Amino acid sequence: MRLTTALVTIASAIALAVTSQVEAAATPVVAGYLLLNPQNGPAKLKALADNAANIPINRIFLSFARPGMVYVPGSNTLKDVGLGYGTSGDFGFADLKTRVAALTAGGVEVFLSVGGWNYGCFPYLYTYYSVGGYGTSTPNYYKIKDNGGSLAGCTEANMWCYTCEPKSENTVLADFDIFPEPSNSTTWKDAQSYVISKAGGGAPVFHPEIVPGHMWTDPATKQTVLVPGSDAFVKQNRDPYQDLVYLAKDLGLSGVDIDYEEMWHADFLKDPWTSYQTTYKYAAIMQDVRLNIQAIKPSLMLATAASAAGGLSTPWWGGNLKNIWYFVNKWYPDLYSFIANTGGVNVMTYDLSNNQEYHECPDAQTCSLSQQVNYYMKSYADNNMLAHVGYEIGIPAYPASDHDPTHQLPLIQSELTSILNVQGAKGGFFWELYKSAGTSANVDVTSAAQQICKAALGASTPRCSGVIPQPGGVVPTSTVTVTVTSTVSSTTSAPATTTTNGGSTCSAAAWDAAAPYAGGSKVSYNGRLYTALWWSQNNLPTAGNPWSDNGPCTTGTTGPTPTPTANPGTCSGVSAFSSSTPYSGGAKVTYGGFVYTAQWWTQGETPGSVAVWVKGAACSATLRRRLYR
């Protein structure tokens, strides 16, 4: 492994962490995730950067980079990072660095988040060991029944019965990734030694044979499958966790965030009802990042997203990464302290359900959203684990809206008030900065951010009265008055959906989250026209499929109409993939509505199913969203 500077001592790093803890304690964190894509990610980030001093947050998590990224220090390109910020040239590096500098100057810390749901889901293993590994009466087994009939009927052809993502997302294997174990790396080996020396739950067993982009055979089922992700880091002898720190340094970031959601790993390696092996893998990843922070940029903060059940000490029942952070704190307290006291442990207290058929409430008296959130946060506090609370805007990803909407627990005002009464002064974070509220009953993003901000930073803090700006200068109207004492009172007006843009008026009716739309239906949203490609309800037009962006409204204009920007994902001039055609490295084809680039010579290998093809932008004017759980 290429380490150009010597590692500083652990003692020095702990001293730095203590200093950071004192500094961080003075200003609670109010953070939001920003999901980036080439279509509108840069415009969203620009809007935030242009208003940095006035937005009601003081930290942004840019998401998501691939766990198996490659970034050579000084190369100044996002090409092999997997962030999805640009599709050509430096893939948005210079633009992103400019926005990071503007945000930082405006008092907003910027973190790069690695992982997330898709970049941590191994479709085959998640299907066979998580969703289908506990019998047929689990809450998500309906996906297997609906798409394959039985567990044995789940194959790559039906995306292993669409458990990682629903069939409507049209995902292929290239949409997914896993956190690698870079056994070629010196710091990874040092991290493994650290984990082994302090292990408290049996001998750690690592799995370097499960390599992204390589074939792997399941010893239990004897099935041979392609592991999602790219092996570029192996070919170039890189450590992705080291490259993450190099990238953060070159971009001028405040910190990095590891969003670890490999539930498949815990369920595949249970022994018989413990999550010890996943604790070891996660701890090794975090230690590798920490060692590289110490060597490359000691001021860099390290954050992590943690599961709601991660702080519980009670026996593990499978799924949800229960106990992971509890055991990290128990066996590796210096590592947990470094994370918690620099970037923070951010608990994903959302996507909760009150469906007691599957015992999804902690107990019969703890079933509302606020009750469950406070229960899980209390588990961290009771075990002396510093952690931040998480909120989800709009419609939860779980339970699925088209399967079990009655047991969803969205963030409505009364529940937000109840959570803030207990957690508010500590700050928190939310998913996602441009996620739709979905219905008028749910708290919109600006209102939620303002209330979290005022509870944590004080009602008189100027930025807490700001709004989340829309790309192109469209500003939502949302005002909140909050007094935080023993209760929180608020008056909220939801963001107005505008149907004008640059003086133009849309002839189509404004999009309504509650209305169902058949394929071919046209709506207006934020001054643009959209057409539904298939049946849709409560899918935000700007989020991508099933909505196709038809451009700015032009009917009845009373002023200048903005010129639409060229679609960065256009497939114009790119030929469709043909199994009979040989392709050399660098060749581009279209397949399934996306552009793919060959990494080396190939023939007859279908894009999306093998590592030779790297997936690029969508051909349509919008990119499909990546669901986050």
Side-chain angles (χ1 to χ4, degrees):
M1 201 56 250
R2 307 181 193 89
L3 272 180
T4 57
T5 54
L7 296 178
V8 299
T9 64
I10 294 294
S12 298
I14 293 175
L16 285 169
V18 172
T19 301
S20 298
Q21 179 182 6
V22 173
E23 294 173 351
T27 306
V29 171
V30 181
Y33 275 83
L34 175 62
L35 181 62
L36 294 171
N37 61 49
Q39 180 222 352
N40 55 17
K44 290 175 180 177
L45 190 58
K46 180 181 185 301
L48 292 163
D50 289 347
N51 297 276
N54 301 308
I55 54 178
I57 57 174
N58 57 11
R59 179 179 292 179
I60 289 176
F61 292 104
L62 305 177
S63 55
F64 289 105
R66 283 188 179 272
M69 71 169 64
V70 170
Y71 177 77
V72 178
S75 62
N76 296 343
T77 176
L78 301 176
K79 181 178 183 294
D80 297 315
V81 173
L83 188 58
Y85 190 72
T87 60
S88 61
D90 66 359
F91 291 79
F93 181 94
D95 184 74
L96 182 58
K97 186 170 183 175
T98 298
R99 307 306 173 205
V100 169
L103 285 160
T104 303
V108 180
E109 298 170 337
V110 185
F111 281 57
L112 178 60
S113 185
V114 176
W117 179 254
N118 278 22
Y119 285 171
C121 197
F122 190 153
Y124 161 74
L125 286 175
Y126 183 64
T127 296
Y128 273 74
Y129 292 94
S130 294
V131 176
Y134 298 93
T136 61
S137 299
T138 55
N140 279 321
Y141 199 86
Y142 77 93
K143 297 178 182 180
I144 293 173
K145 292 179 178 177
D146 290 350
N147 296 296
S150 66
L151 186 59
C154 293
T155 66
E156 187 179 341
N158 59 13
M159 195 33 64
W160 308 105
C161 285
Y162 304 102
T163 58
C164 286
E165 289 285 14
K167 187 176 182 179
S168 61
E169 290 297 299
N170 299 312
T171 48
V172 293
L173 192 62
D175 290 313
F176 304 99
D177 205 345
I178 66 168
F179 282 81
E181 298 182 18
S183 55
N184 57 307
S185 162
T186 299
T187 48
W188 176 259
K189 292 175 182 176
D190 289 344
Q192 285 181 309
S193 297
Y194 165 83
V195 168
I196 292 169
S197 70
K198 297 173 178 288
V205 180
F206 292 93
H207 293 274
E209 76 280 4
I210 305 179
V211 181
H214 287 202
M215 304 304 293
W216 170 77
T217 300
D218 182 349
T221 67
K222 308 305 179 185
Q223 291 199 64
T224 298
V225 299
L226 179 65
V227 181
S230 169
D231 66 347
F233 73 95
V234 176
K235 294 175 179 175
Q236 298 183 45
N237 194 33
R238 308 294 306 177
D239 178 346
Y241 309 121
Q242 183 183 67
D243 283 358
L244 169 63
V245 178
Y246 279 130
L247 176 61
K249 179 181 179 182
D250 285 358
L251 282 172
L253 297 171
S254 303
V256 294
D257 172 53
I258 304 300
D259 190 340
Y260 184 81
E261 299 189 50
E262 289 187 333
M263 290 185 230
W264 62 266
H265 190 275
D267 295 318
F268 176 56
L269 298 171
K270 56 183 180 288
D271 182 29
W273 291 101
T274 67
S275 55
Y276 298 156
Q277 296 303 326
T278 304
T279 299
Y280 297 144
K281 179 180 179 180
Y282 169 78
I285 292 168
M286 301 306 288
Q287 176 67 358
D288 191 344
V289 177
R290 176 167 71 151
L291 289 172
N292 281 293
I293 286 174
Q294 293 162 3
I296 299 167
K297 188 181 180 183
S299 63
L300 198 69
M301 293 181 279
L302 176 59
T304 190
S307 75
L312 293 170
S313 60
T314 50
W316 181 63
W317 62 77
N320 296 323
L321 297 182
K322 185 182 180 186
N323 305 144
I324 300 297
W325 286 265
Y326 168 79
F327 285 125
V328 168
N329 184 58
K330 181 177 180 179
W331 300 331
Y332 313 102
D334 59 308
L335 177 60
Y336 187 93
S337 178
F338 181 85
I339 301 165
N341 292 317
T342 60
V345 175
N346 302 309
V347 184
M348 295 182 289
T349 41
Y350 41 76
D351 291 339
L352 302 173
S353 167
N354 62 4
N355 189 344
Q356 281 298 73
E357 178 184 354
Y358 301 109
H359 309 286
E360 291 186 317
C361 301
D363 56 61
Q365 289 73 45
T366 311
C367 276
S368 73
L369 177 64
S370 58
Q371 288 172 333
Q372 292 197 50
V373 168
N374 290 327
Y375 170 87
Y376 289 119
M377 292 307 298
K378 186 175 184 296
S379 72
Y380 280 84
D382 286 350
N383 290 305
N384 298 312
M385 301 163 65
L386 182 63
H388 300 144
V389 67
Y391 305 84
E392 181 173 21
I393 307 300
I395 306 300
Y398 177 85
S401 298
D402 60 354
H403 179 72
D404 187 20
T406 60
H407 290 108
Q408 290 180 330
L409 296 174
L411 187 66
I412 59 176
Q413 183 56 54
S414 60
E415 292 297 272
L416 176 57
T417 299
S418 296
I419 297 170
L420 287 172
N421 284 338
V422 179
Q423 311 293 341
K426 306 170 189 175
F429 71 101
F430 57 88
W431 174 267
E432 185 261 358
L433 277 160
Y434 289 91
K435 190 167 185 278
S436 168
T439 71
S440 59
N442 298 339
V443 182
D444 65 90
V445 63
T446 287
S447 176
Q450 289 176 343
Q451 292 182 64
I452 298 167
C453 183
K454 292 183 179 183
L457 305 183
S460 62
T461 304
R463 72 165 57 251
C464 295
S465 296
V467 300
I468 304 301
Q470 297 298 311
V474 179
V475 179
T477 57
S478 180
T479 58
V480 179
T481 302
V482 179
T483 302
V484 182
T485 53
S486 58
T487 61
V488 178
S489 60
S490 64
T491 303
T492 305
S493 61
T497 301
T498 180
T499 58
T500 64
N501 188 42
S504 62
T505 303
C506 290
S507 57
W511 174 76
D512 181 352
Y517 295 98
S521 299
K522 294 184 180 298
V523 299
S524 60
Y525 185 77
N526 279 355
R528 300 180 73 84
L529 290 170
Y530 294 85
T531 301
L533 301 178
W534 54 80
W535 187 93
S536 169
Q537 185 175 16
N538 194 36
N539 292 106
L540 190 68
T542 54
N545 280 348
W547 291 105
S548 175
D549 187 344
N550 305 138
C553 302
T554 57
T555 301
T557 58
T558 59
T561 300
T563 302
T565 57
N567 170 27
T570 180
C571 291
S572 176
V574 182
S575 300
F577 167 76
S578 170
S579 60
S580 61
T581 301
Y583 297 98
S584 58
K588 294 183 181 296
V589 300
T590 61
Y591 184 80
F594 282 79
V595 174
Y596 287 84
T597 303
Q599 300 303 289
W600 53 83
W601 189 94
T602 180
Q603 183 176 7
E605 296 179 291
T606 304
S609 63
V610 288
V612 61
W613 292 106
V614 173
K615 187 176 182 181
C619 296
S620 63
T622 56
L623 291 177
R624 295 177 316 218
R625 70 190 185 282
R626 272 182 285 168
L627 293 180
Y628 180 87
R629 293 169 176 78

